[in-house]
Amino acid sequence: MFALGYAGALTEPFFSDDYILLDKVRRAPTAALMQPTDLAYGYWRPWSREMHHKVLDSVSGGRPLPFHLASLALWLTAIGLYFSL
């Protein structure tokens, strides 16, 4: 049932802060993304946000589907780890 309700999400375009983060990672060298400067929304989370977007953008060619699939895989992993407790 859950899969039926959210199956269309994989075909959605980028949204809102995706464009802000993609703009940031496309113009900044990788080393600069690890520094606590030019922070999006005032938070420094280089591994879970900037590097995530940088790596996925470089391998996906800027297409949203790989981002959605990575998010789905991360969500399934988190749910699996939760239930393993």
Side-chain angles (χ1 to χ4, degrees), residues 55-73:
V55 169
L56 284 174
D57 187 49
S58 67
V59 298
S60 74
R63 294 184 326 267
L65 180 60
F67 283 83
H68 297 324
L69 292 174
S71 294
L72 178 62

Side-chain angles (χ1 to χ4, degrees), residues 28-72:
T30 302
L33 296 175
M34 299 306 291
Q35 303 301 318
T37 58
D38 190 26
L39 301 176
Y41 309 106
Y43 295 101
W44 185 55
R45 298 185 295 208
W47 288 109
S48 65
R49 191 172 56 194
E50 280 83 0
M51 292 308 294
H52 172 83
H53 277 73
K54 180 81 167 182
V55 169
L56 284 174
D57 187 49
S58 67
V59 298
S60 74
R63 294 184 326 267
L65 180 60
F67 283 83
H68 297 324
L69 292 174
S71 294
L72 178 62

Side-chain angles (χ1 to χ4, degrees), residues 2 17 28 39 68 70 75:
F2 179 81
D17 63 341
L39 301 176
H68 297 324
W75 179 77

